[in-house]
Amino acid sequence: FGLKYDRNKRTLSQSNLSATLVSKGILQLKQRPLPKPGPLDVLVSIRSVGICGSDIHYWENGRVGDFVVEYPLVLGHESAGIVFEIGSHVTDLQPGDRVAIEPGVPCRRCITCKSGRYNLCDSMRFLATPPIDGALTEYISHPADFCYPLPDNMSLDEGAMLEPLSVGVHACRRGNVTPGSNVLIMGSGPVGLACLLAAQAMGAGEIVVTDINQERLNVADSLGATTFHADSKTLSEDIRDELDQIDLSIDCSGAETAVKTAIDVTVPGGTIVIVGLGSNEMTLPIIRATTREIDIRGIFRYVNAYPTALDMVSSGKVSIDTIISHHFELQDVADAFTTARNAAQGVMKVMVTI
């Protein structure tokens, strides 16, 4: 990025311009108060933010499932930036450090947190999830232990992309990907491709990716996957003809037909991981899944995945920036959102530079 940071000449801008959802479909740039870090927090100058599908849903629909927007709300949770100020008790970060920000902060005290599954904490505060404001802003205050220093060989864009990659890491862990595992991924949007990259880094064997969007399938193909257009009536047969054993299926589409296909092609004793949140009204062949002892597992975001995702990128095992297709400045955030929803035009991950 060509950034030079002089710790002896730090100046704090009084601007905190923020991409704020003020009503359904209406996104405005507004000045908001500068946050003040607490004793265990850091003030981060945000530099790179990815637009997620959840951001699009909040923008278009005012809600994602049970999460309903309480206006106004700052969007964006895939972020990285530069530490500007540290709290009085912070010892492991310094001003000038470039960091990736894990957006979900649990209570750390409940039995769920103490058992290591803090992503399921009932008191989770997650950026850009109502009523918590997000990272499409110039400065945020965030707990230091959820900010991860970036090595010199990683860009701030790559730091922001650790968020979707962490979803892929968690999905592959839940599905027990091991060297040689054959994997089916339904949906080749940014999260589906993150699952593909994570599975490859974990040593998966052959990986099959399906989607109804040929432009996105082309990206999966370029990354080494075997691809199938998902609107084929013979999709299950086509997959079996290509690969007679699918050990793990990961659905990133949220489509009922995709989950049915996964149940049909996953080997007896195999696993299906549900990543995409579709309808609560799905009708699935549960008896077929049960009698073949197929484990169906859900995931919710990720847990303890950021360090692994960071290592995958910094070591060169994963080129996460291959998913990025567009860049916009914060002043053009409305255009960024309009572009991000155009999956039919081959749009992948849209990044906003601040």
Side-chain angles (χ1 to χ4, degrees):
F1 273 59
L3 296 173
K4 298 296 183 182
Y5 194 92
D6 188 339
R7 292 178 178 173
N8 297 318
K9 296 181 179 179
R10 291 187 295 125
T11 58
L12 179 62
S13 167
Q14 293 305 305
S15 172
N16 195 26
L17 202 61
S18 308
T20 308
L21 189 64
V22 296
S23 62
K24 189 165 67 174
I26 305 298
L27 191 64
Q28 295 179 353
L29 289 176
K30 288 186 171 292
Q31 288 288 356
R32 297 173 67 87
L34 286 168
K36 181 67 176 175
L40 296 173
D41 301 333
V42 291
L43 182 67
V44 180
S45 173
I46 299 295
R47 298 300 176 89
S48 185
V49 183
I51 297 178
C52 176
S54 65
D55 295 316
I56 299 297
H57 282 295
Y58 284 130
W59 174 51
E60 291 186 322
N61 306 313
R63 67 184 302 156
V64 174
D66 294 333
F67 298 105
V68 180
V69 174
E70 299 175 9
Y71 302 107
L73 180 74
V74 178
L75 296 176
H77 63 266
E78 304 172 359
S79 63
I82 300 176
V83 174
F84 189 89
E85 181 182 332
I86 63 173
S88 58
H89 293 3
V90 174
T91 59
D92 54 349
L93 290 173
Q94 295 295 325
D97 288 346
R98 301 178 317 127
V99 293
I101 298 172
E102 181 173 351
V105 181
C107 76
R108 305 178 178 86
R109 297 182 298 274
C110 68
I111 188 64
T112 304
C113 287
K114 290 182 177 180
S115 69
R117 304 186 73 175
Y118 64 80
N119 60 315
L120 305 179
C121 175
D122 285 340
S123 300
M124 173 68 73
R125 296 172 58 85
F126 199 92
L127 296 181
T129 299
I132 309 301
D133 284 319
L136 268 169
T137 184
E138 293 180 289
Y139 294 95
I140 70 167
S141 176
H142 202 69
D145 56 326
F146 282 85
C147 295
Y148 298 85
L150 297 176
D152 292 340
N153 67 336
M154 281 183 62
S155 71
L156 288 164
D157 271 1
E158 289 174 315
M161 289 295 290
L162 293 184
E163 202 280 338
L165 181 57
S166 292
V167 176
V169 169
H170 188 44
C172 289
R173 285 176 174 170
R174 290 279 287 160
N176 296 322
V177 171
T178 57
S181 298
N182 293 326
V183 181
L184 168 65
I185 299 172
M186 319 288 280
S188 59
V191 171
L193 294 182
C195 290
L196 164 63
L197 293 171
Q200 289 174 331
M202 291 179 177
E206 186 159 2
I207 304 175
V208 175
V209 177
T210 69
D211 203 295
I212 60 173
N213 185 319
Q214 188 59 51
E215 294 283 346
R216 289 187 162 184
L217 277 181
N218 292 341
V219 179
D221 182 74
S222 72
L223 294 175
T226 299
T227 59
F228 290 99
H229 207 272
D231 62 359
S232 169
K233 293 182 179 179
T234 59
L235 181 60
S236 296
E237 289 80 359
D238 293 341
I239 293 172
R240 285 199 189 92
D241 288 344
E242 175 66 28
L243 190 65
D244 60 4
Q245 177 163 317
I246 297 289
D247 304 297
L248 164 66
S249 293
I250 303 174
D251 177 55
C252 300
S253 70
E256 179 178 312
T257 54
V259 181
K260 286 180 175 178
T261 297
I263 291 173
D264 192 38
V265 302
T266 303
V267 297
T271 303
I272 297 172
V273 175
I274 306 295
V275 179
L277 298 180
S279 170
N280 274 326
E281 308 302 322
M282 282 190 185
T283 302
L284 301 176
I286 294 299
I287 292 178
R288 176 167 171 76
T290 300
T291 56
R292 298 173 68 237
E293 291 195 355
I294 293 176
D295 291 338
I296 300 178
R297 301 179 178 180
I299 75 162
F300 188 52
R301 297 166 179 157
Y302 37 78
V303 61
N304 298 313
Y306 256 70
T308 300
L310 193 154
D311 179 70
M312 287 178 172
V313 177
S314 64
S315 67
K317 291 181 180 178
V318 168
S319 297
I320 193 63
D321 54 354
T322 57
I323 297 177
I324 299 172
S325 61
H326 293 74
H327 281 89
F328 289 86
E329 300 292 329
L330 179 61
Q331 290 76 6
D332 301 316
V333 69
D335 292 336
F337 270 71
T338 300
T339 300
R341 69 179 174 187
N342 289 330
Q345 298 179 16
V347 175
M348 296 301 294
K349 178 58 67 176
V350 173
M351 304 298 297
V352 176
T353 302
I354 302 178

